[in-house]
Amino acid sequence: MEDLLDGPDDLEPLERPLQPWDTAALLFTSGTTGPSKAVLSSAMHLATMGRVSYPGTHRDDRALIFTPLFHITGMSAVCWALVHGGSFGVITKYSTTTFWEDVLRVRGTFLVMMGSIGTMLNALPPSAAERDTTLRMALLAPMTPDAMAVCRRAGMRYYSVFNMSETSVPLRTGFDPGTPYSCGVPREGVEARLVDEHDMPVPPGAVGELVLRCADPWVMTTGYFRNPEATAEAWRNAWFHTGDALRQGPSGEYFYVDRVKDSIRRRGENISSYEVEVEVQAHPAVDEAAAVAVPSELGEDDVLVVVVPRPGAEIDPAELLGFLVDRMPHYMVPRYVRVADALPRTPTMKVQKAVLRAEGSAAAWDREAAGIRVRREAVR
C-alpha cells in the first residue's frame, strides 16, 4: 500500500505491457452447491464487467458494496469504478435495521440488492431515512415483487440481470419492468441457448440449462484455477455451461428457474426449488424459506422446506401446508417442514443448500407421519 500511495513514479516497471487476455484476478463462485471454485478472470473480463453491469451511471455516482470482494457481486462495483472513474463505499456488515442509515452515511447512489434482502427491507415500516435515501438505482438479483416494492417506496429505478463470476452480464432487462423474476434478454455480442443434459436445444417454453458464448474474446472466464476437470465440464461443446436452469417466455425474455443441482425430482416430475420458495414465502408468517431435495423411501426425491418465521410469528406446519395446496401443483407441496432460527448462508448472502441437504429430514415435521395426504384436488 505504501508503494501505491507514493505514486506511479516509484513503482517497479512491468516486465512487459499487460494484455487484455492476461489473468487479472481470481474470483470465487458462491459455493451454494459445494466448495467454491476459483475463477480465472482476464483484464478484458473485468473491464467488460465494469462497462456493462450498471447502465445509466456516471463518474459522479457511488456504488454501495456490502458483499465480499472475492465474488463478482462486490467486485463488479470496483470494476465499474475503475472503468468510469467513479467511487464506491463499503458497508462491512449488512444489517436490515440500520440499512437506510448506513446508506446515508456512505452516500451510495446504486447497489445490487441480493436474494431475500428485498423481502427483509420491504417488511420494515416506512422511515425518513428511506424517503431521504441517496440511492437512485438498484440491480435486483432476483427481481422479486418485494424488491420491486422497496424500489418504488424509495423512489429508485430498478432492473435485473443474469450474471455469475464466470460471465459478464450476458442477460439484462430494461429499467422498471413490470414482470417479476425476469432476467432480460441477451445483450449485444452474447449468444444464449437453453439445452437439455445432452446439449440439445429444448422446445420453446421448456426449462433448460443456460449456455453462452460471446462474439468478443476474453470477456468470460477461461476456466477454473487448478481445476481442469471443472473447466472441461463447463466449456464442453464450445459453449459455457452456467449450471442454471432457465425458461424463455414468448416475448424472448429469460426467467430464472433454479440451479440445475438444486432441482428436485419427485414422482416423475421436475420441481424448481426456487418456485417452491416463492410460494412458501408468500405466507404471512414466513420470513425466509429454502426448499431442497431429500431421499424418498420410494426412490427419487421428497421436498423439504426450511422456514424462518417473521419476528413475533409462529409457523404451524399443517396450516402452512393447507396454505400451499391451493397455490401449487400437488406434486410440489412439501412433505417435510423444518422451522429454523436462520438459514445457513455464504458470504455472498446466498443460502447454502448443500448444508440443508446434509442435515436432511430427521428433525422435520412430516406430513406423511401426520396422516395428511395431498391429492390432485384436496388435502385429506
Side-chain angles (χ1 to χ4, degrees):
M1 182 58 69
E2 289 77 12
D3 289 341
L4 294 175
L5 294 175
D6 286 341
D9 294 338
D10 296 320
L11 296 179
E12 291 293 326
L14 296 174
E15 294 181 1
R16 61 172 177 79
L18 293 177
Q19 300 296 332
W21 47 85
D22 286 332
T23 298
L26 292 178
L27 300 180
F28 284 81
T29 60
S30 292
T32 56
T33 57
S36 294
K37 297 187 287 291
V39 176
L40 293 163
S41 299
S42 69
M44 180 62 77
H45 180 193
L46 298 183
T48 303
M49 193 80 65
R51 181 174 58 83
V52 303
S53 293
Y54 304 106
T57 54
H58 46 75
R59 64 180 304 157
D60 293 333
D61 278 306
R62 175 170 295 168
L64 177 66
I65 301 174
F66 53 85
T67 54
L69 298 179
F70 59 72
H71 181 264
I72 197 56
T73 305
M75 183 53 71
S76 64
V78 177
C79 296
W80 168 86
L82 291 170
V83 168
H84 294 275
S87 63
F88 59 88
V90 178
I91 297 174
T92 55
K93 185 177 181 180
Y94 170 82
S95 167
T96 301
T97 55
T98 64
F99 174 79
W100 294 110
E101 288 78 9
D102 291 338
V103 170
L104 288 174
R105 175 173 52 82
V106 175
R107 303 197 67 78
T109 62
F110 68 92
L111 82 163
V112 179
M113 193 178 294
M114 293 288 292
S116 59
I117 289 175
T119 300
M120 293 185 283
L121 291 176
N122 198 39
L124 294 176
S127 66
E130 178 189 81
R131 291 191 297 271
D132 298 336
T133 185
T134 55
L135 290 173
R136 65 178 188 85
M137 189 183 78
L139 190 169
L140 306 182
M143 190 165 59
T144 66
D146 280 336
M148 296 163 74
V150 170
C151 292
R152 295 189 188 110
R153 279 172 45 172
M156 290 188 284
R157 303 194 74 186
Y158 60 88
Y159 66 106
S160 190
V161 304
F162 175 90
N163 198 30
M164 53 200 308
S165 292
E166 296 94 327
T167 63
S168 52
V169 195
L171 308 179
R172 191 172 66 192
T173 70
F175 280 111
D176 305 326
T179 307
Y181 303 110
S182 172
C183 298
V185 297
R187 63 174 174 82
E188 185 179 357
V190 173
E191 189 176 355
R193 296 172 65 185
L194 298 179
V195 300
D196 62 17
E197 65 272 24
H198 304 294
D199 284 353
M200 300 300 292
V202 299
V207 174
E209 182 180 5
L210 177 67
V211 297
L212 303 163
R213 60 187 180 191
C214 296
D216 296 324
W218 311 110
V219 300
M220 293 198 297
T221 183
T222 56
Y224 301 104
F225 181 63
R226 294 180 179 174
N227 197 338
E229 295 84 3
T231 299
E233 177 68 14
W235 277 107
R236 65 184 183 274
N237 291 327
W239 290 79
F240 177 76
H241 291 65
T242 64
D244 286 302
L246 282 76
R247 62 177 176 83
Q248 191 173 20
S251 64
E253 285 184 293
Y254 286 84
F255 293 85
Y256 182 83
V257 175
D258 212 345
R259 287 290 294 169
V260 171
K261 290 184 179 179
D262 287 339
S263 62
I264 304 167
R265 180 78 174 177
R266 183 176 184 270
R267 308 295 194 271
E269 300 282 357
N270 291 316
I271 301 172
S272 163
S273 65
Y274 186 70
E275 292 181 354
V276 173
E277 291 156 6
V278 168
E279 299 303 333
V280 174
Q281 288 174 168
H283 190 282
V286 175
D287 191 24
E288 296 183 278
V292 296
V294 292
S296 169
E297 65 270 18
L298 301 177
E300 294 190 330
D301 304 321
D302 271 318
V303 182
L304 163 69
V305 62
V306 183
V307 293
V308 178
R310 290 185 182 273
E314 294 185 1
I315 295 175
D316 177 357
E319 190 275 331
L320 174 62
L321 191 72
F323 172 82
L324 294 174
V325 165
D326 292 332
R327 301 180 65 94
M328 57 176 59
H330 71 282
Y331 57 84
M332 289 178 63
V333 176
R335 172 177 173 178
Y336 299 103
V337 178
R338 186 166 76 236
V339 181
D341 294 331
L343 298 176
R345 292 190 177 276
T346 69
T348 59
M349 303 291 288
K350 293 185 178 180
V351 177
Q352 291 179 301
K353 291 193 173 181
V355 174
L356 298 179
R357 281 192 289 268
E359 292 172 348
S361 59
W365 176 86
D366 179 3
R367 64 173 166 84
E368 296 281 343
I372 299 175
R373 299 291 184 266
V374 177
R375 302 297 185 223
R376 291 182 181 272
E377 300 298 336
V379 175
R380 297 175 182 173

